[in-house]
Amino acid sequence: MNERTQRIRSIRRAAITLAAAAALYQALSLSKIFPQVLMPTIPTVLETLYAMLADGSMFEHAGATLSRVLIGFTLATALGITLGIAMARFKPVENFFLPLVSALMPIPSFSLVPLFMLWFGIGNTTTVLVVLYGATFPILFNTWSGVRAVNPIWLRAAGCMGAGEHNMFWKVILPGASPFIITGMRQGFLRAWIAVVGAEMIAASDWGLGWVIFDAEQFLQADIMSASIVGIGSIGFVFERLVFGSIERATFHRWGR
């Protein structure tokens, strides 16, 4: 099966799943379990989404949110991978940081928003730092686990063939740990979106999809809330399929993992 056929089948499966979810939502909306003002139909949501796209507000808010996510996620990726590798390769680093990571990782990033607001005020700095906090730990923990899980036989074989520390890392350890690292990045990206939406509801000034959802809730504008949620899901879907899928093809698929 060639790569093009795999992509077509993947898109078809995704379309079927999304269509089934949309049909279920539409059925619930028409069933009148909730008033339609609180659970608008899909045509109503799409009309609102189109209006937000037409007047540019969706692009402005989505751009503000996405920029905060990307800045925080990029910093979290650099920090998490670097520290995760260091913890796995050097026992003193692991002994120092592992208890700290174990204590901080269960703390929800949303719970730190009020504290960060006191320290850094309202705006981008607080929001980006909350994203950084939320996204770092999945990347760090998966990187640490992945490097430790590299098959020792591979390391001994590379050593017997004369591989130095540099070649050992780039040719054996990093390819071996790549599935864990990419999984950690996926989880970190998910945590980044959870963190940014929660932070924008409290700490953003007046831009961002999280702020739009919170503001619309005050006026019972469920169609605007739903359209913003669709925007978040669409961005996440594109990143999952295009960005992380491309990273997979460029790394451990190429390495035969």
Side-chain angles (χ1 to χ4, degrees), residues 138-139 142 178-188 248 252:
I139 299 172
N142 277 275
S178 63
F180 289 83
I181 295 174
I182 295 175
T183 298
M185 291 174 64
R186 277 193 159 114
Q187 294 175 353
E248 283 185 343
F252 64 87

Side-chain angles (χ1 to χ4, degrees), residues 62-94:
T65 298
L66 185 58
S67 65
R68 292 161 181 158
V69 168
L70 292 180
I71 293 172
F73 178 72
T74 300
L75 295 174
T77 300
L79 177 61
I81 292 178
T82 301
L83 188 54
I85 292 173
M87 287 173 58
R89 297 290 289 163
F90 304 104
K91 198 65 177 178
V93 178
E94 180 185 61

